[in-house]
Amino acid sequence: MGDCLTPEGKAQLITRNLQEVLGEDKLKEILKERDLRVYWGTATTGKPHVAYFVPMSKIADFLKAGCEVTILFADLHAYLDNMKAPWDLLELRTRYYEQVIKAMLQSIGVPLERLRFVRGTEFQLSKEYTLDVYKLSSVVTQHDAKKAGAEVVKQVEHPLLSGLLYPGLQALDEEYLKVDAQFGGVDQRKIFTFAEKYLPALGYTKRIHLMNPMVPGLTGSKMSSSEEESKIDLLDSPSDLKKKLKKAFCEPGNIENNGVLSFVRHVLFPLKSEFVILRDEKYGGNKTYTDYETLEKDFAEQQVHPGDLKASVEKALNKLLDPIRDKFNSPEMKKLSSSAYPDPTKQKSVTKTTNKSNEPEDLIPSLLDLRVGKIVSVSKHPDADTLYVESIDVGEENPRTVVSGLVNYVSSEEMQGRSVILLCNLKPQKMRGIESQGMLLCASVDGDNRRVEPLDPPAECAPGERVYVEGYENGKPEAELKPKKKVFENLQADFRISEDLHAQWKEKNFLTKQGPVTCKTLRGGSIS
């Protein structure tokens, strides 16, 4: 396909969906003469997860544009980064990465024969490369080395010298792999600008840098190998995949930090050029989208329900993962997987038995800043027919602005002047251009006729009065919930309406000084 494209067409394909390009003019000049030589590197640390499909789909774009693509398995980098890959496991993890990355590429139809695969230790231990490391260390300041690795190298209280070497090695890789460009996530930007500054100091050419956006994980933060609930492992079973997607952050109408939507945008659309929302005929039947922008607009306006989006992503993702699961179902691959990533529970079984609680120690409902609020005013969102914009008094100097997707379920007359329960320490999020400074808690029952009702505090409660869970009266809420800790998402999974219409967490009532928080009619409903 690359031979059929003009240089302009190739440049457009190479740069589509990227967040930033450093050296775009140089890229266009090279494409007038020949095809681009580009590399993508991955440190062989934690198990690759589904977010790795984002660079994989971009590599497919590079090949379509006629690029010569090298994939670097950066085994030495994995060790230098605070020994994320212990030396005795380095070879096994590199073999695992080779097998799983190749399986991912094959699952999206990328021909492996058009790629060059290289291990870092194949050239990084040579005499010439080692000498260049010493030369680089004589011109790079400690400040610049530390700053360059700040977003990538694990930050600890007492950093190791190896972490300062990491950016320099990544810069030298561009020269020793003989490429025109390096491709990576935007979290690599400081290393890329470091390379642009220091490679010329050794007499080497400054390279082009192509940067993907960072895709949010399932909790709304960066998808991370070290955060189990934030990511879907490539070998997760269909049932585990369903469970993780069910818990994923995907608030109705909220397109900010939505990991499910981002996966559709950066993986599924580039691979297939269309995406099908699967839904029952009574809700309009299946709908095919040929561009992401229309899907995002419909989701923001709540024309697409989070449950339907998750179910559709689940089906598409299982189709991508099935060939990888099949490959790693062989005895040889199972042995490689278990050897490269030994089960830590078997090594720590003694310490685990001393923990009497199945919940993490810090996962308690008192971390949530729940308050009684009173709706001072309510109006429809100017840019979304299904959203209300409410001004809610929660006992502070000024009312908070809150955006809620309740237009189809609760009339504005019912909302005006109503007492509600507000979660006040979520990170503020823009919803269709208006910043929402809290979440109004509602009970809901899904089915043929979905019903939603805001939770009701006792009538005697004043705005700002604290709401707590029975038995957790004395805990202190976080100032702002950190998305990476997924506190609300994990706690919310156990929110329910009891048979006597009390709001509960694990069968313990939500309480105020005036009595329990209730719901009018939705017995057995969930709360969100």
Side-chain angles (χ1 to χ4, degrees):
M1 178 179 173
D3 295 337
C4 305
L5 293 172
T6 63
E8 293 77 15
K10 290 179 180 181
Q12 188 174 8
L13 191 54
I14 289 168
T15 59
R16 76 166 177 176
N17 285 335
L18 294 180
Q19 182 163 325
E20 188 176 2
V21 177
L22 299 177
E24 191 164 5
D25 290 342
K26 185 176 180 181
L27 166 68
K28 291 174 180 176
E29 288 300 314
I30 290 173
L31 290 174
K32 289 177 183 176
E33 304 293 329
R34 58 173 173 81
D35 288 325
L36 191 74
R37 294 189 287 266
V38 60
Y39 100 88
W40 172 74
T42 179
T44 53
T45 53
K47 280 188 175 182
H49 44 72
V50 295
Y52 278 61
F53 274 116
V54 178
M56 296 302 104
S57 65
K58 197 64 217 163
I59 286 168
D61 278 350
F62 295 154
L63 290 175
K64 289 174 189 173
C67 297
E68 297 175 25
V69 181
T70 297
I71 292 180
L72 171 68
F73 297 110
D75 46 359
L76 196 54
H77 283 80
Y79 182 71
L80 291 176
D81 187 1
N82 266 279
M83 295 180 289
K84 281 184 181 176
W87 195 261
D88 57 333
L89 295 179
L90 203 56
E91 167 65 19
L92 290 167
R93 290 197 177 174
T94 305
R95 282 170 49 202
Y96 179 89
Y97 262 70
E98 286 189 43
Q99 293 296 331
V100 84
I101 295 294
K102 288 178 179 179
M104 291 180 77
L105 290 163
Q106 288 173 317
S107 82
I108 62 173
V110 173
L112 298 185
E113 62 273 12
R114 293 185 56 197
L115 295 163
R116 178 170 68 125
F117 296 93
V118 178
R119 292 190 186 193
T121 48
E122 290 176 14
F123 64 90
Q124 290 167 346
L125 300 178
S126 68
K127 177 181 176 182
E128 295 78 14
Y129 189 97
T130 302
L131 183 57
D132 271 343
V133 171
Y134 286 128
K135 286 180 180 178
L136 201 58
S137 68
S138 71
V139 294
V140 174
T141 65
Q142 180 188 8
H143 171 271
D144 283 1
K146 187 176 180 180
K147 179 182 175 183
E151 300 294 325
V152 178
V153 178
K154 185 177 180 182
Q155 300 300 297
V156 294
E157 187 178 355
H158 301 291
L160 300 174
L161 178 60
S162 59
L164 297 177
L165 295 175
Y166 189 111
L169 270 65
Q170 188 166 335
L172 288 172
D173 291 346
E174 297 177 346
E175 173 64 24
Y176 279 78
L177 291 172
K178 302 301 177 188
V179 295
D180 306 306
Q182 183 178 175
F183 164 60
V186 74
D187 60 337
Q188 305 267 340
R189 192 182 194 283
K190 290 177 181 176
I191 290 183
F192 291 167
T193 55
F194 173 93
E196 291 188 6
K197 177 179 180 180
Y198 282 108
L199 276 190
L202 270 63
Y204 297 139
T205 307
K206 182 168 74 172
R207 264 60 178 196
I208 299 160
H209 294 102
L210 311 169
M211 284 168 271
N212 251 350
M214 299 308 296
V215 174
L218 300 181
T219 60
S221 58
K222 173 184 172 183
M223 199 175 285
S224 168
S225 298
S226 61
E227 300 215 13
E228 190 61 32
E229 292 301 321
S230 81
K231 53 96 178 181
I232 295 168
D233 191 273
L234 294 166
L235 302 182
D236 276 347
S237 67
S239 61
D240 285 341
L241 171 60
K242 182 185 287 289
K243 190 186 304 179
K244 288 182 178 181
L245 276 174
K246 188 175 181 180
K247 292 177 70 176
F249 176 79
C250 193
E251 188 178 43
N254 190 348
I255 60 175
E256 304 290 332
N257 293 319
N258 188 324
V260 183
L261 264 182
S262 291
F263 190 80
V264 176
R265 178 179 187 177
H266 293 288
V267 176
L268 300 181
F269 263 111
L271 292 177
K272 299 293 184 182
S273 300
E274 67 175 32
F275 181 67
V276 180
I277 290 289
L278 307 170
R279 57 188 177 192
D280 198 286
E281 287 295 332
K282 59 192 168 197
Y283 299 123
N286 295 353
K287 183 171 181 180
T288 300
Y289 291 88
T290 55
D291 65 275
Y292 172 77
E293 289 71 23
T294 306
L295 171 63
E296 184 183 86
K297 179 175 179 290
D298 281 0
F299 186 84
E301 295 177 355
Q302 298 195 41
Q303 302 302 314
V304 174
H305 190 272
D308 294 331
L309 177 65
K310 289 180 179 182
S312 307
V313 168
E314 180 187 344
K315 181 177 180 179
L317 196 44
N318 272 320
K319 191 173 180 181
L320 289 176
L321 294 180
D322 279 343
I324 303 171
R325 292 171 181 142
D326 290 345
K327 177 174 181 174
F328 276 80
N329 202 33
S330 70
E332 180 187 359
M333 290 296 103
K334 283 182 177 179
K335 183 179 179 182
L336 174 59
S337 181
S338 61
S339 300
Y341 298 93
D343 186 352
T345 59
K346 293 180 179 178
Q347 301 168 9
K348 299 179 181 178
S349 56
V350 176
T351 57
K352 281 197 103 176
T353 56
T354 62
N355 185 5
K356 297 178 182 178
S357 171
N358 290 326
E359 294 290 339
E361 287 183 16
D362 60 346
L363 191 59
I364 53 176
S366 55
L367 293 174
L368 305 179
D369 185 2
L370 295 169
R371 300 185 219 168
V372 174
K374 185 168 185 177
I375 299 177
V376 178
S377 66
V378 59
S379 60
K380 281 195 175 179
H381 194 297
D383 297 319
D385 293 340
T386 57
L387 301 179
Y388 281 132
V389 179
E390 304 116 13
S391 181
I392 302 181
D393 179 6
V394 289
E396 297 171 333
E397 184 176 353
N398 296 306
R400 291 194 179 207
T401 299
V402 177
V403 181
S404 305
L406 296 173
V407 171
N408 294 333
Y409 306 104
V410 187
S411 70
S412 57
E413 291 77 15
E414 290 179 272
M415 295 285 284
Q416 182 67 47
R418 182 175 189 145
S419 290
V420 293
I421 305 299
L422 198 69
L423 177 58
C424 295
N425 59 341
L426 284 178
K427 184 177 180 180
Q429 298 280 356
K430 280 196 174 181
M431 296 181 70
R432 299 289 284 166
I434 295 179
E435 185 174 79
S436 183
Q437 299 168 327
M439 179 189 287
L440 198 156
L441 292 192
C442 297
S444 63
V445 173
D446 292 324
D448 293 346
N449 182 24
R450 188 169 190 261
R451 291 176 293 158
V452 179
E453 295 177 4
L455 298 184
D456 293 316
E460 302 82 5
C461 288
E465 187 167 327
R466 187 177 169 224
V467 179
Y468 54 90
V469 171
E470 181 182 358
Y472 293 88
E473 296 88 343
N474 299 320
K476 185 178 179 182
E478 292 273 4
E480 182 177 281
L481 295 176
K482 303 293 189 295
K484 283 187 177 182
K485 291 188 177 181
K486 52 197 177 292
V487 174
F488 176 72
E489 291 79 7
N490 281 310
L491 290 169
Q492 185 261 339
D494 293 303
F495 289 180
R496 291 289 180 275
I497 301 298
S498 68
E499 286 303 308
D500 56 358
L501 295 173
H502 286 182
Q504 296 185 332
W505 175 73
K506 292 191 173 182
E507 300 183 353
K508 296 179 184 292
N509 286 340
F510 282 72
L511 299 173
T512 69
K513 290 181 180 178
Q514 310 300 330
V517 175
T518 59
C519 168
K520 284 186 172 57
T521 66
L522 302 183
R523 288 181 175 83
S526 57
I527 300 173
S528 59

